[in-house]
Amino acid sequence: MIDIWLVVKGIGIGILFSAPIGPVNIMCIQLAFRRGFLAGLAAGIGAVFADGLFAALAAYGFTATAAFIAGYSSLFQLVGGLVLIVFGIRIMRMHPHLAAGGSARDGVLSTALTSFGMTVTNPATVLGFIAVFGSLGDLAPAPGDYLGATLLVLGVLAGGCGWWFFVASLVSVVRDKLTDRGLERINQGAGGVLILFGAAILARLAWSALGLA
């Protein structure tokens, strides 16, 4: 039976990893500003495929080793929660600038490959997915549930694609109103969500340790 909630969780994770303003987001915004919606979307889609690759590695890896991980579930959740809080703080302190961007001359495929390369070579991305999937606990797919892991990954891809579609569309409409301060606010919001997510994981872990769960 298909668990639609795994798709919903994946969508949330996909948006969570796509929203913070970094080099790929800047590329997407600049290309949407200079060359239109399709060019901006191409930059985002390249990043989505990289995120999907890491999400698949994390999801299938944790599903395959679920029996081993179950014995260290609390440790994985503790580390995952702390990592998410650290990532959230780093994202909130970032100061993105619209002046930093990629070339406006590249084609759609070249743009997608560039953003894929930028994302797939970022160690923080894979660490982030490992932290998130490792901290899901009983919210993750059941041991050996590869269909559930696939649904989770598909949700990540859907969430990422939806985010980039939204960003490219929004830039096309409000291109004259974009400011560095606006990008900082997006990062503050995304970082805040990561911190809250990490804090919730730690609180849930503490609640369980005290025998109150």
Side-chain angles (χ1 to χ4, degrees):
M1 183 177 178
I2 294 178
D3 186 353
I4 192 64
W5 285 111
L6 287 173
V7 179
V8 174
K9 295 170 194 173
I11 290 174
I13 293 172
I15 294 174
L16 198 63
F17 274 85
S18 297
I21 302 298
V24 176
N25 296 65
I26 293 296
M27 179 191 295
C28 176
I29 291 171
Q30 284 217 329
L31 288 174
F33 180 84
R34 297 173 184 173
R35 294 167 48 199
F37 167 79
L38 186 59
L41 182 62
I45 294 302
V48 168
F49 276 107
D51 286 343
L53 174 62
F54 288 138
L57 291 173
Y60 294 129
F62 278 109
T63 299
T65 58
F68 167 78
I69 291 173
Y72 299 91
S73 176
S74 296
L75 178 60
F76 275 105
Q77 292 182 57
L78 174 62
V79 174
L82 292 174
V83 168
L84 290 178
I85 291 174
V86 171
F87 278 7
I89 293 173
R90 288 186 60 186
I91 289 170
M92 291 185 73
R93 297 178 63 183
M94 289 172 62
H95 301 287
H97 300 288
L98 282 169
S103 171
R105 298 172 305 206
D106 294 336
V108 171
L109 179 58
S110 177
T111 297
L113 290 174
T114 298
S115 64
F116 176 87
M118 292 169 63
T119 306
V120 82
T121 55
N122 183 359
T125 305
V126 65
L127 290 176
F129 275 108
I130 291 174
V132 169
F133 282 82
S135 61
L136 286 177
D138 55 9
L139 298 178
D145 183 8
Y146 292 101
L147 174 59
T150 300
L151 293 174
L152 195 61
V153 173
L154 290 176
V156 171
L157 292 171
C161 286
W163 171 261
W164 292 113
F165 186 92
F166 167 75
V167 169
S169 300
L170 183 63
V171 172
S172 300
V173 175
V174 299
R175 60 176 63 186
D176 295 330
K177 299 180 180 179
L178 286 175
T179 64
D180 289 351
R181 179 55 184 161
L183 300 184
E184 287 183 359
R185 288 175 178 172
I186 294 175
N187 269 4
Q188 289 168 359
V193 171
L194 280 174
I195 292 172
L196 287 175
F197 189 27
I201 291 170
L202 296 180
R204 183 167 173 265
L205 185 62
W207 190 266
S208 178
L210 292 173
L212 300 175

